[in-house]
Amino acid sequence: VTETLDRAEPVRMVPAKRVRVSVAHDQAGRVENDLRASRYAVEDVVYASNVTFAVAVGEDEVAAFADWVATLTAGRARVAVGEDVHVPA
C-alpha cells in the first residue's frame, strides 16, 4: 500500500458551480458536441421535454460560460447556476 501511495499523483481541486443548460431537442446534438469539445466537464445529460446538461464550471468562469452558451444557441438556452462542486484544476 505504501508503494502505491508513493506513486500516486495529488490532484488539485478548485471550486466550481454545477450549471444546468436546457435546450430544445433540435439543438441538443450541436450543444453536446460543443460542450464535450470544450474545457467544461459535462457531468450528466437528461432527456425530457428539453435536454438538460449538467456542467461543472469554475466559479470564476460562470459568467463567461453563460455568455458562450448564449452565443452558441442564439440565446435560446436556459442556464441555471446550481450547487457548489469541486473539479480538478
Side-chain angles (χ1 to χ4, degrees):
V1 172
T2 302
E3 187 177 316
T4 301
L5 288 174
D6 288 341
R7 292 181 189 174
E9 294 288 328
V11 175
R12 185 172 161 260
M13 303 296 280
V14 295
K17 293 285 188 182
R18 182 165 292 124
V19 179
R20 287 184 171 72
V21 177
S22 295
V23 296
H25 284 269
D26 64 339
Q27 290 185 299
R30 178 173 175 226
V31 170
E32 184 167 10
N33 252 3
D34 287 349
L35 283 171
R36 293 199 185 276
S38 74
R39 67 181 180 275
Y40 306 110
V42 177
E43 298 179 326
D44 191 26
V45 182
V46 176
Y47 293 87
S49 58
N50 285 317
V51 181
T52 302
F53 301 93
V55 183
V57 178
E59 283 185 338
D60 58 345
E61 297 180 273
V62 172
F65 175 78
D67 289 344
W68 178 71
V69 169
T71 300
L72 177 67
T73 64
R76 295 188 297 174
R78 286 193 339 261
V79 176
V81 178
E83 61 274 8
D84 294 333
V85 295
H86 285 81
V87 296

